[in-house]
Amino acid sequence: MRLLVAADSGVEAAVTEAVRRRLPRVDIEEVRTAAAGLALLDDADADAGFDCVVSADDVGATDALEFLAAVRKRDAALPFLVVAGGDCEVTASDALDAGVTDYVRVRGPEGYDEVAARVERAVAASGRRPVDPSLVYERVFEQILEGACLYDRDGRFILVSDFLAGLYGATPAELEGERSRLVETIREERPGDPYQRLLDGEADSLEGETELVTPDGESRILSYRFAPLRMVGEVVGVIGVSRDVTERQEREQKLKRAREEYQELIDGMNDTVWVIDIDSHILAVNETAVELLGYSRDELLSMTVHDIDAGLSDDEASALVTQMPTDGTQVFETVHRAKDGREIPVEISSSLVTYRGETVVLSVARDITTRKRYEAELREQNRLLETQRDELGVLNQVVRHDVRNDLQLVTAYAELLAEYVDDGDAREYVEIVRRRANHAVELTKTARDMAEMMSTRGVETKPVPLRGVLDAELASVRDMAPDANVAVDGEVPPVTVLADDMFGSVFRNLLMNAIQHTDEDEPTVDVSVTHAEREDRVVVRVADDGRGVPDERKDAIFAKDEKGLESRGTGLGLYLVQSLVEKYGGDVWVEDNDPSGSVFAVELRLVDGGQSDSDQSSPTRS
């Protein structure tokens, strides 16, 4: 290409430098005036004529448009570019109307690179001179975003792309003639000198990946492909294309490590893990699935869920896969069949995940054999409990109605019989019959209460007024044992405690226990109610003047079937008291009375501070 530049020295130098950077093989003529430029155009012959004119906005005493008019008289098709400065009087519209090929306003040094690019385009568009293939190859090497180069037979750089030069931290010109580190590395790593085999025509290509240490000491992974360059049937060099795949390799290594860690994680799970596609094929499993079902991993990966599911029909299993929720988890139970025929009940939790670019189902199956066995045992226990409750209800009805009614008749007839018996010994016998019958009636009440307690275990407690329940039981005991002196120290405070409908049985059994365990003909029973050390508790004490309870028996006396010394009871009353009080969240214990006898203390929980609707008063001794 031949270029004529008409401008002052500053503009001419900037244009020339920019054009030579872009088009190193261009021939440039420089003039300062339009007259000198026209003279060169007149002297040029047809073969050595100019391909483009670049003019400043004024050229000596002539402006650019006058210069253009003179050039057009000599060559109407010659490309003509105007380079305008900051204070140019020639406008773009005037220049384009006059017929310039292009108009470039330059406002800084980088603007001249644009001038060079437009010169190249203008010449190419004019078709005045065929394009030099070598320039095309050089331009391709400049623009390619891979490490492209041409090696000679010794592995030296002949032509280098900017991209590859940047990898080495150099310019293409600095690398030309230098030996390639990549070629030397390949020759060291691979046997048989594969580079020489390309030169000898024994191979058409050479591909692979290798690690290359750049001049700055950085390690990079390059993917490369070499091919021989043949000219007139002879191999004169090697074309090399390489790509920096370091980041890709790092990503792949991270992904590989993540997959290995993920596989280790799922293999370490006690549950079986399954990856299933939408057609129910098994894509992946963990080691637990292999061990539990007895199939090899390859066997499982050749199967579908239908081959191992013994709890669902094929249609049901397929429906669960195809109808998976997109944003949730699906949980269901089924049965897996092992290779040896064992059937394993499982609970499966499934959700949709992305696996190797596809949407699949991830299922975690938990062996629930033990849970199923416990559930069956629990159902059987519940069935037995229901049966026992029914049988206990029948027994309770017999005790409460039949036996109790008969005993009450015995009591009534004994009292009638006493009116007709005059003999002292005989009257004593009748009195014994009456007392024992009354005692038996009390036993039926205790048995009834025991049955009620056993059948209502787990029933919630509720607020119960203490005074009303205690007063009712005191009145009942006084009727049954008129010879006993049953008194209350002070007043029973109107507090509310946590209890249930069987609350009265606590006091009835304690009062009867106090009366029965005495040798006195007229036993004395004192009842008191005080606040406990804890503000949310109240303590009811029942004191008797009986034989007392030895220290070693103070805890054992509340055990079921445990009877006191020479006790006429069954041993169930105190056991019932402790069971009920503990159910209410309270406590019961026995203390020594002064001078003799025992004190049974019951601590109960107050509700909302224990206040009732009536006025609260502190207990005082009367």
Side-chain angles (χ1 to χ4, degrees):
M1 178 190 300
R2 194 175 184 204
L3 177 65
L4 174 62
V5 178
D8 61 34
S9 59
V11 173
E12 172 271 319
V15 170
T16 298
E17 183 181 355
V19 170
R20 289 194 186 282
R21 281 199 305 269
R22 188 173 185 87
L23 304 168
R25 300 187 184 185
V26 66
D27 181 13
I28 300 177
E29 294 289 343
E30 305 159 358
V31 296
R32 300 285 184 274
T33 65
L38 293 173
L40 286 177
L41 290 173
D42 291 339
D43 292 341
D45 55 33
D47 293 333
F50 288 94
D51 299 297
C52 183
V53 176
V54 176
S55 172
D57 55 331
D58 55 49
V59 189
T62 307
D63 66 23
L65 299 186
E66 292 174 340
F67 186 27
L68 170 67
V71 170
R72 285 284 183 261
K73 290 179 181 180
R74 290 165 173 77
D75 189 341
L78 181 63
F80 191 99
L81 280 73
V82 174
V83 179
D87 56 354
C88 176
E89 296 181 357
V90 177
T91 65
S93 58
D94 291 340
L96 294 174
D97 288 342
V100 299
T101 305
D102 209 341
Y103 178 93
V104 184
R105 181 174 291 278
V106 178
R107 290 184 171 83
E110 65 277 1
Y112 291 101
D113 290 331
E114 181 63 20
V115 172
R118 296 198 186 188
V119 167
E120 183 180 24
R121 288 199 296 268
V123 174
S126 69
R128 298 176 61 86
R129 187 182 299 275
V131 178
D132 185 349
S134 64
L135 294 178
V136 175
Y137 297 148
E138 290 181 12
R139 183 67 62 244
V140 170
F141 267 76
E142 289 177 3
Q143 301 298 324
I144 194 169
L145 296 179
E146 291 184 334
C149 62
L150 176 63
Y151 302 117
D152 65 13
R153 293 183 62 86
D154 293 328
R156 294 185 176 90
F157 290 111
I158 298 176
L159 193 61
V160 184
S161 71
D162 288 340
F163 189 86
L164 180 59
L167 180 66
Y168 284 91
T171 65
E174 290 172 337
L175 286 180
E176 290 177 6
E178 296 291 328
R179 287 189 177 274
S180 167
R181 291 172 179 262
L182 179 58
V183 172
E184 292 178 354
T185 299
I186 293 171
R187 281 179 153 171
E188 292 173 359
E189 291 180 346
R190 302 182 66 164
D193 195 348
Y195 187 82
Q196 187 62 46
R197 295 183 70 243
L198 288 175
L199 297 174
D200 295 342
E202 297 177 2
D204 294 329
S205 65
L206 175 61
E207 300 180 25
E209 290 185 358
T210 189
E211 181 178 2
L212 180 70
V213 179
T214 61
D216 60 2
E218 185 178 7
S219 178
R220 311 298 294 177
I221 305 298
L222 296 184
S223 171
Y224 60 85
R225 187 180 189 279
F226 291 170
L229 173 64
R230 291 183 173 86
M231 297 185 67
V232 195
E234 181 181 354
V235 177
V236 297
V238 173
I239 301 171
V241 178
S242 58
R243 179 177 300 169
D244 186 350
V245 295
T246 305
E247 294 182 359
R248 188 199 72 189
Q249 285 276 25
E250 291 175 350
R251 288 195 301 269
E252 290 178 352
Q253 287 297 323
K254 289 180 180 178
L255 181 59
K256 181 180 178 181
R257 285 195 297 269
R259 286 176 176 171
E260 290 174 350
E261 292 172 358
Y262 169 76
Q263 189 65 44
E264 290 177 1
L265 176 64
I266 65 172
D267 281 344
M269 293 176 61
N270 292 327
D271 300 331
T272 61
V273 180
W274 310 80
V275 178
I276 303 163
D277 67 14
I278 58 173
D279 296 322
S280 301
H281 294 99
I282 300 172
L283 304 180
V285 297
N286 68 341
E287 190 63 28
T288 305
V290 174
E291 295 175 356
L292 184 64
L293 297 186
Y295 292 100
S296 69
R297 190 180 298 271
D298 290 340
E299 286 177 322
L300 288 173
L301 298 184
S302 67
M303 300 164 69
T304 68
V305 295
H306 307 305
D307 297 322
I308 63 170
D309 198 312
L312 300 170
S313 67
D314 289 354
D315 290 341
E316 290 172 332
S318 297
L320 286 171
V321 174
T322 58
Q323 297 174 11
M324 276 290 302
T326 58
D327 57 351
T329 301
Q330 181 175 249
V331 180
F332 59 95
E333 292 184 5
T334 185
V335 177
H336 281 173
R337 181 181 292 113
K339 188 173 184 178
D340 59 7
R342 289 179 299 111
E343 292 192 348
I344 306 166
V346 292
E347 179 184 77
I348 296 181
S349 176
S350 298
S351 57
L352 291 176
V353 298
T354 300
Y355 178 76
R356 295 180 178 175
E358 300 290 335
T359 299
V360 298
V361 177
L362 174 65
S363 293
V364 178
R366 174 161 296 177
D367 184 350
I368 56 174
T369 302
T370 302
R371 190 179 83 186
K372 285 295 185 182
R373 183 172 65 251
Y374 287 157
E375 288 176 353
E377 293 174 354
L378 182 60
R379 285 194 298 269
E380 178 62 18
Q381 290 176 359
N382 288 337
R383 187 190 65 79
L384 292 175
L385 285 175
E386 288 297 326
T387 301
Q388 290 174 354
R389 284 195 181 98
D390 292 342
E391 294 172 348
L392 192 58
V394 173
L395 177 60
N396 188 20
Q397 185 175 9
V398 171
V399 171
R400 292 179 59 184
H401 295 86
D402 300 346
V403 176
R404 185 176 177 183
N405 289 341
D406 287 347
L407 288 172
Q408 287 175 340
L409 284 175
V410 171
T411 301
Y413 280 116
E415 291 175 351
L416 290 175
L417 182 60
E419 298 177 1
Y420 297 97
V421 176
D422 296 328
D423 182 79
D425 291 338
R427 289 183 64 85
E428 183 180 352
Y429 297 152
V430 172
E431 180 61 22
I432 291 174
V433 171
R434 188 188 67 82
R435 287 201 307 267
R436 301 305 291 179
N438 284 334
H439 182 237
V441 171
E442 284 302 309
L443 292 180
T444 63
K445 292 180 180 180
T446 301
R448 176 200 65 189
D449 292 342
M450 286 291 296
E452 288 290 335
M453 183 189 70
M454 294 172 63
S455 63
T456 58
R457 288 188 186 274
V459 176
E460 295 292 333
T461 57
K462 61 183 180 180
V464 177
L466 174 62
R467 176 189 289 176
V469 174
L470 183 55
D471 286 349
E473 295 304 326
L474 287 168
S476 177
V477 168
R478 285 170 179 145
D479 288 340
M480 293 185 59
D483 295 335
N485 180 19
V486 181
V488 178
D489 292 343
E491 295 182 358
V492 178
V495 295
T496 304
V497 298
L498 283 175
D500 60 13
D501 293 338
M502 296 187 64
F503 188 33
S505 183
V506 172
F507 302 125
R508 181 169 60 254
N509 279 280
L510 288 178
L511 292 169
M512 292 305 300
N513 180 76
I515 292 172
Q516 291 171 0
H517 291 83
T518 181
D519 296 328
E520 302 295 331
D521 293 334
E522 296 181 356
T524 299
V525 179
D526 290 325
V527 179
S528 63
V529 182
T530 60
H531 281 282
E533 293 182 1
R534 296 174 57 178
E535 295 182 355
D536 62 340
R537 304 289 175 118
V538 67
V539 178
V540 180
R541 284 182 168 83
V542 179
D544 62 56
D545 58 354
R547 295 180 294 274
V549 179
D551 290 341
E552 65 271 14
R553 292 182 52 79
K554 281 186 169 62
D555 292 329
I557 197 171
F558 293 101
K560 184 169 61 173
D561 298 331
E562 183 69 23
K563 299 171 61 174
L565 298 176
E566 302 178 5
S567 172
R568 299 188 298 272
T570 62
L572 290 177
L574 293 179
Y575 169 74
L576 177 62
V577 169
Q578 185 183 52
S579 298
L580 289 173
V581 172
E582 288 181 349
K583 176 183 175 183
Y584 304 154
D587 194 10
V588 59
W589 65 91
V590 62
E591 303 169 347
D592 293 330
N593 198 8
D594 184 22
S596 64
S598 302
V599 179
F600 285 83
V602 176
E603 184 180 80
L604 299 166
R605 296 165 60 194
L606 294 173
V607 179
D608 297 332
Q611 300 293 328
S612 68
D613 294 336
S614 60
D615 182 38
Q616 172 75 22
S617 60
S618 300
T620 58
R621 295 187 64 85
S622 58

